Amino acid sequence: MQKLWAQRALTLDGWKNGVSIEIGPNGKIERVDSDTEPNGEIYGCVLPAPANAHSHAFQRAMAGLTEQRGADPTDSFWSWRRLMFRFLERITPEQVQAIAAFVQMEMLEAGYATNVEFHYLHHGPGGEPYAQLAEMAMRITEAAKETGIGLTLLPVFYQYGGLDGRPLSAGQNRFGNDIERFMKLAEDSTGLVNDGPRDWVSGIAPHSLRAVAPRDLKQIASLFRDGPIHMHLAEQIPEVEETLSSLGMRPVEWTLDHIEPDARWHFIHLTQMLPHETERLAHTGATAVLCPITESSLGDGIFDGLGWFEAGGRVAIGSDSNIRISLSEELRTLDYSQRLRDHSRAALATAEQSTGRRLFEAILNGGAASADRSTGALEAGLWADMLALDTSHVDLADLQGDMLIDSFSFAGDDNLVTDVWSAGRHMVQRGQHVRRDQILAQYRSAVQELRAAY
Ligand code: ZN
């Protein structure tokens, strides 16, 4: 039994003072009481810790290295794709594990309790499957055992190189499976998850409309009756154009009419929607999984946050390419994109809730749905996913209520996060992951090997 006490905490009934929280040996919250005297370990401000709802761990090793341009001025993806293919020629399972552990550690230190891993690097160089089909998935689960992060593992179904059903290119063959081999891979991945801590979850992820044949998309969804389904959707203008010419509809229109998504579905990006798509998709109960830092980095476009919130849509946050892992920065980038587009301020705030509070509660709920995890609030019976903020820091000192989250989101950074628990596992203490040194050393040698090769 762990016992902690917070001067202030955000509960389901709003902000409370003198909050005592008891965590059972199973990692679940057992009791939450407010207006109590200090007892147990004492913290300034405790919040529920959200899930990071979208990540491709191995891409962390490419962060900051793809900012050059090639000879063709229209090809702004040149340096990104070139480096990605270089990595894909050589990256090993050992390196993937070291990178994933580093990514998960950074997620925890940023205040996330869960890594929803959209895992698509399955096979060896050239596309040759490993002796254990789920070797790479096993590397992700081994990393999660070391970091103590909550894990929702989504093996990705990736079949084609484009909407016309063309074969995979040389750079994509480590991702590819037909349905039969994917079923086996997903089964093995679920086995790995079931052998892990009890809070882990497995789902699936058809990669995108480009990578999965339309006729197979429904079949895949019907073959997996449990767990969340994630898919990239409507991220870039060329994707919209390709879908229009191949399927005669925009990607979200086509998905609405042919997949009939519901609350099991979680769509990544949605930066290319027209107002009627935003409204219809929000009403289905599907989650919009937004990755504002990566979407900025890739120049994807701006999600219609105002329209989506107005239609009652659900949102989650993910770090996607992991070019930078920062919860506070994802929140402010999302809100700032709305401000820059609309020439407005604090448009997501309501009479009852500030901008930061509304966004934070939204991603707690959406993140719980996307991770398919019993979390998202300080409430008995849920996993003890929590973060503590340093209220002695000058940016938070003497603040109350919503201003604590606003200052964390808009003025602060990850340095304000002192402690993080994932299903009761107290992995970040006094601002650092408890295994930081060894995880950093493993990551350092993995990227040294990779960088030596280009
Ligand atoms: Zn992605």
Side-chain angles (χ1 to χ4, degrees), residues 54 56 232 268-269 320:
H54 188 67
H56 314 292
H232 295 117
I268 324 302
H269 301 306
D320 194 9

Side-chain angles (χ1 to χ4, degrees), residues 54-56 59 118 120 207 232 235 268-269 291 294 298 319-321:
H54 188 67
S55 157
H56 314 292
Q59 292 183 12
F118 195 104
Y120 66 94
H207 180 274
H232 295 117
E235 178 180 8
I268 324 302
H269 301 306
C291 311
T294 295
L298 298 178
S319 56
D320 194 9
S321 70

Side-chain angles (χ1 to χ4, degrees), residues 2 23-28 113 148 150 199 373 383-386 421-426:
Q2 299 178 63
I23 306 170
N26 61 2
K28 290 193 170 165
D199 58 301
R373 182 176 170 93
W383 296 114
D385 294 345
M386 309 183 299
W421 296 257
S422 174
R425 299 178 293 267
H426 191 180

Side-chain angles (χ1 to χ4, degrees), residues 131-162:
Q132 298 293 330
L133 189 56
E135 169 78 34
M136 285 296 201
M138 187 267 286
R139 298 302 179 150
I140 306 286
T141 57
E142 286 301 304
K145 284 179 193 165
E146 184 175 18
T147 60
I149 203 163
L151 181 68
T152 294
L153 182 61
L154 308 171
V156 171
F157 182 49
Y158 202 115
Q159 197 174 13
Y160 297 115

Side-chain angles (χ1 to χ4, degrees), residues 126-415:
E128 191 61 33
Y130 289 105
Q132 298 293 330
L133 189 56
E135 169 78 34
M136 285 296 201
M138 187 267 286
R139 298 302 179 150
I140 306 286
T141 57
E142 286 301 304
K145 284 179 193 165
E146 184 175 18
T147 60
I149 203 163
L151 181 68
T152 294
L153 182 61
L154 308 171
V156 171
F157 182 49
Y158 202 115
Q159 197 174 13
Y160 297 115
L163 266 165
D164 53 4
R166 74 189 88 125
L168 299 177
S169 69
Q172 296 165 320
N173 54 22
R174 295 187 75 172
F175 316 152
N177 289 293
D178 56 22
I179 288 192
E180 198 183 332
R181 193 165 73 185
F182 177 70
M183 294 296 292
K184 168 85 175 102
L185 177 66
E187 193 183 306
D188 291 356
S189 299
T190 301
L192 291 165
V193 165
N194 291 343
D195 288 342
R198 287 189 53 204
D199 58 301
W200 288 9
V201 171
S202 61
I204 55 156
H207 180 274
S208 57
L209 294 181
R210 298 186 304 281
V212 178
R215 65 177 178 279
D216 294 334
L217 201 48
K218 263 201 146 163
Q219 193 190 346
I220 283 284
S222 66
L223 287 171
F224 292 88
R225 302 213 161 271
D226 300 318
I229 307 175
H230 287 228
M231 185 170 84
H232 295 117
L233 188 64
E235 178 180 8
Q236 296 205 329
I237 291 167
E239 173 196 345
V240 175
E241 288 166 348
E242 200 186 342
T243 315
L244 267 171
S245 70
S246 291
L247 302 174
M249 296 172 110
R250 298 171 58 82
V252 172
E253 288 173 341
W254 188 90
T255 302
L256 284 161
D257 286 358
H258 293 85
I259 306 299
E260 294 160 18
D262 56 19
R264 267 187 85 194
W265 285 83
H266 309 273
F267 295 109
I268 324 302
H269 301 306
L270 300 174
T271 37
Q272 298 297 333
M273 291 199 293
L274 296 177
H276 70 278
E277 294 174 298
T278 303
E279 197 184 339
R280 278 184 66 198
L281 190 60
H283 286 156
T284 64
T287 311
V289 181
L290 312 174
C291 311
I293 295 175
T294 295
E295 287 152 9
S296 302
S297 164
L298 298 178
D300 287 343
I302 299 175
F303 174 76
D304 182 5
L306 288 179
W308 187 262
F309 271 72
E310 229 162 73
R314 206 161 56 178
V315 296
I317 286 276
S319 56
D320 194 9
S321 70
N322 296 311
I323 186 163
R324 182 161 158 71
I325 297 173
S326 171
L327 170 58
S328 55
E329 194 167 314
E330 295 288 4
L331 292 166
R332 82 176 153 261
T333 304
L334 172 56
D335 197 68
Y336 282 177
S337 68
Q338 310 295 303
R339 298 181 192 209
L340 286 164
R341 182 194 56 208
D342 300 339
H343 315 289
S344 69
R345 287 195 73 254
L348 292 177
T350 63
E352 296 77 34
Q353 295 191 334
S354 72
T355 309
R357 163 90 178 272
R358 187 161 182 227
L359 266 181
F360 196 78
E361 289 201 335
I363 67 153
L364 285 170
N365 292 328
S370 287
D372 195 18
R373 182 176 170 93
S374 300
T375 185
L378 301 180
E379 183 72 359
L382 300 185
W383 296 114
D385 294 345
M386 309 183 299
L387 68 90
L389 293 178
D390 178 8
T391 49
S392 70
H393 190 286
V394 67
D395 282 333
L396 299 184
D398 309 315
L399 297 184
Q400 303 278 344
D402 289 2
M403 280 186 182
L404 285 161
I405 299 182
D406 292 333
S407 288
F408 169 58
S409 305
F410 292 101
D413 58 28
D414 303 340
N415 290 326

Side-chain angles (χ1 to χ4, degrees), residues 13-168:
D13 302 320
W15 290 100
K16 296 286 177 191
N17 293 324
V19 178
S20 152
I21 302 165
E22 289 180 17
I23 306 170
N26 61 2
K28 290 193 170 165
I29 296 171
E30 288 203 343
R31 275 187 78 109
V32 180
D33 296 297
S34 51
D35 301 314
T36 63
E37 293 299 315
N39 64 87
E41 281 185 55
I42 293 176
Y43 298 91
C45 171
V46 170
L47 306 173
N52 185 321
H54 188 67
S55 157
H56 314 292
F58 79 93
Q59 292 183 12
R60 175 66 178 81
M62 296 163 54
L65 307 182
T66 62
E67 301 300 325
Q68 311 86 28
R69 277 196 116 129
D72 177 358
T74 64
D75 185 3
S76 57
F77 273 90
W78 174 80
S79 58
W80 193 89
R81 199 166 43 233
R82 189 182 66 141
L83 186 61
M84 164 101 139
F85 287 176
R86 283 276 177 98
F87 271 32
L88 290 174
E89 281 165 12
R90 61 191 85 241
I91 194 166
T92 66
E94 293 76 18
Q95 289 163 346
V96 164
Q97 183 174 336
I99 298 166
F102 187 73
V103 162
Q104 293 167 2
M105 176 182 80
E106 287 195 320
M107 287 179 183
L108 286 161
E109 288 182 345
Y112 297 110
T114 305
N115 166 203
V116 181
E117 184 65 18
F118 195 104
H119 168 61
Y120 66 94
L121 177 55
H122 300 306
H123 309 308
E128 191 61 33
Y130 289 105
Q132 298 293 330
L133 189 56
E135 169 78 34
M136 285 296 201
M138 187 267 286
R139 298 302 179 150
I140 306 286
T141 57
E142 286 301 304
K145 284 179 193 165
E146 184 175 18
T147 60
I149 203 163
L151 181 68
T152 294
L153 182 61
L154 308 171
V156 171
F157 182 49
Y158 202 115
Q159 197 174 13
Y160 297 115
L163 266 165
D164 53 4
R166 74 189 88 125
L168 299 177

